[in-house]
Amino acid sequence: MGTAYRVYRVDYLTKMKIPLGTVTERRSKQRGAESHFGLMKLARQMFATSPEDQVRIVVEEEPVA
């Protein structure tokens, strides 16, 4: 169907990434560098529990098999 990207919550005190889930890319073409912000915004809406938590949500650009 599409490419899945891993979503993590970064704990900046311990420098660890905590896996939360995946976001699926449905576009048939590759995203440009500026277009990755849309994918990040979607991940933050889905996985952030508070406004402060949105800053800690990151998306790995490496596709998940």
Side-chain angles (χ1 to χ4, degrees), residues 2-10 17-25 36 39-44 46-47 56-65:
T3 306
Y5 292 89
R6 290 182 194 248
V7 179
Y8 296 96
R9 177 176 289 122
V10 178
K17 292 183 200 175
I18 303 160
L20 299 175
T22 59
V23 176
T24 303
E25 173 67 77
H36 278 285
L39 195 61
M40 178 75 73
K41 184 178 177 181
L42 177 64
R44 288 179 174 174
M46 291 173 60
F47 294 104
R56 300 176 4 167
I57 302 293
V58 295
V59 175
E60 282 289 321
E61 295 185 28
E62 181 178 318
V64 176

Side-chain angles (χ1 to χ4, degrees), residues 9-16 44 55-58:
R9 177 176 289 122
V10 178
D11 185 358
Y12 290 109
L13 295 176
T14 61
K15 307 285 192 228
M16 293 188 65
R44 288 179 174 174
V55 177
R56 300 176 4 167
I57 302 293
V58 295

Side-chain angles (χ1 to χ4, degrees), residues 30-38 61:
Q30 287 282 354
R31 284 181 176 262
E34 67 280 349
S35 188
H36 278 285
F37 291 116
E61 295 185 28

